[in-house]
Amino acid sequence: MKGERMNVMKTRARTIIYRAATWVAVLVLFVVLLVLANTFTEGERFHGLGTAGVIAITLAGLLALFRATRGSGAWEVSVRGIGWMTLGAVLHTASTYLFGVIVDASVGQVRVRPTICIPVLFGYAFGPVVGFFTGAVGSVLGDFISGWGVFPTWAMGSGLTGLVPGLVVLVAKERRNLRVLTTVVLVLIALTAGVVFIHPRAPEPWTDQVKNHSFWGWALLVGGLVMMANRFLLQDRSVALAAVNLWGTLGIMTGNAFAALADIWISEFTPGTAIIGAFAPAATTDLLNLMVFTPLVLAAYNLLRRTLGEKEVHGQDT
């Protein structure tokens, strides 16, 4: 009995060490690519202690998150998972270039940017490590080949956008927790829209031109209401689609808030510029694109899994 217990403990220790090594390797690779892209880019570059400090603090926070939840299966990455991770980053990179350079379309003030669906879906399907890698590395490479340069806070924000949906693994009963998740998302959307309506005029991030941003408050409310309607209509037909939208929104709000607020330190944004001029437009654009394109991306992904002989993504507790 004692020998069996020792074997179980050793196996668990090896599993945790493997998960930790995988997560550290992903973070190190991301930083190396970030530095290389910054060195060789012809576009925007980052420098200074502020950027290094934000990167270091963020990495420490991500390692702390792993430490707090290392006993769960959320951080497990199989050999096949590494393949999906690579595919996700490639798709994110290609989509960034396609919809940023070749196809620059918009509907009113909202840019067509289905790229956001990729880290959200890969994080939801394969966990936080794959989601973070897809978003962060895909963002760095996509911005680099597009010639824009490197924006570390927004690359990390994109990584967080993919990481947060991967935390669904920590939730035991997804269907049961949709109500809590819906409440959290509604509160975040209402708070953001409320801030925009209270103080709609703020400088834009890169031009410092003062504009009225109230459009983004209304767009965020409309997008949130439509998503909530979809959530109640879809919860019995497709838990996965309802959950991807909700977890994706939570990831979008987290990632964009991190990037915008970090630029108060790095780019010397004022709080008004960061929250109203940067966060609200970016989060709203991502939210609307997620809501429109997720069904198409999820259908394509499930078709690919059927072709490979794997189970479709239907969500937990279905």
Side-chain angles (χ1 to χ4, degrees):
M1 183 67 69
K2 185 176 180 180
E4 292 180 0
R5 189 181 300 115
M6 289 294 296
N7 288 334
V8 170
M9 292 177 63
K10 288 180 180 179
T11 300
R12 183 180 179 184
R14 284 195 296 266
T15 300
I16 291 176
I17 291 172
Y18 169 76
R19 292 172 181 172
T22 303
W23 185 220
V24 170
V26 165
L27 295 178
V28 169
L29 178 59
F30 165 63
V31 173
V32 169
L33 290 175
L34 198 64
V35 172
L36 288 176
N38 186 60
T39 301
F40 295 105
T41 186
E42 296 181 356
E44 185 76 17
R45 296 188 179 186
F46 66 83
H47 55 83
L49 293 177
T51 303
V54 169
I55 293 174
I57 291 171
T58 304
L59 295 179
L62 292 173
L63 289 173
L65 175 63
F66 167 81
R67 181 178 176 82
T69 58
R70 64 185 183 273
S72 73
W75 304 96
E76 189 68 46
V77 180
S78 63
V79 174
R80 179 163 290 189
I82 294 175
W84 284 111
M85 181 189 303
T86 305
L87 176 62
V90 170
L91 290 175
H92 192 287
T93 302
S95 181
T96 299
Y97 183 80
L98 175 62
F99 290 98
V101 177
I102 299 177
V103 180
D104 189 9
S106 62
V107 179
Q109 298 183 52
V110 181
R111 291 185 59 193
V112 176
R113 190 175 176 269
T115 307
I116 193 63
C117 301
I118 298 173
V120 167
L121 180 58
F122 274 73
Y124 178 84
F126 301 109
V129 179
V130 176
F132 180 85
F133 186 91
T134 298
V137 172
S139 179
V140 171
L141 296 179
D143 288 347
F144 176 73
I145 67 172
S146 298
W148 300 330
V150 181
F151 303 89
T153 56
W154 292 93
M156 287 186 286
S158 183
L160 293 176
T161 298
L163 180 146
V164 170
L167 299 179
V168 65
V169 179
L170 301 178
V171 180
K173 299 292 184 181
E174 184 179 26
R175 187 188 296 275
R176 187 181 305 166
N177 285 277
L178 283 180
R179 182 179 301 175
V180 175
L181 188 59
T182 300
T183 302
V184 172
V185 168
L186 279 175
V187 169
L188 290 175
I189 289 176
L191 286 175
T192 304
V195 171
V196 174
F197 290 139
I198 291 171
H199 189 69
R201 297 187 64 80
E204 290 194 321
W206 313 117
T207 65
D208 287 331
Q209 182 180 0
V210 177
K211 286 190 174 182
N212 190 321
H213 296 275
S214 56
F215 166 82
W216 297 108
W218 290 112
L220 187 59
L221 285 181
V222 171
L225 289 173
V226 173
M227 187 195 313
M228 291 307 108
N230 286 342
R231 169 256 193 267
F232 289 106
L233 291 172
L234 293 171
Q235 64 177 348
D236 292 327
R237 296 182 55 192
S238 175
V239 173
L241 188 52
V244 167
N245 278 329
L246 290 170
W247 280 100
T249 300
L250 190 59
I252 285 169
M253 302 293 278
T254 301
N256 282 290
F258 165 83
L261 294 176
D263 271 334
I264 294 177
W265 185 9
I266 293 178
S267 302
E268 299 183 349
F269 286 176
T270 64
T273 298
I275 298 171
I276 301 166
F279 168 65
T284 304
T285 297
D286 285 346
L287 170 61
L288 295 175
N289 277 278
L290 178 76
M291 186 173 57
V292 171
F293 291 105
T294 293
L296 300 176
V297 175
L298 182 59
Y301 170 71
N302 279 330
L303 177 61
L304 176 60
R305 289 186 71 93
R306 286 198 302 270
T307 303
L308 296 175
E310 299 182 3
K311 294 177 62 176
E312 298 182 16
V313 173
H314 293 294
Q316 302 173 33
D317 192 33
T318 56

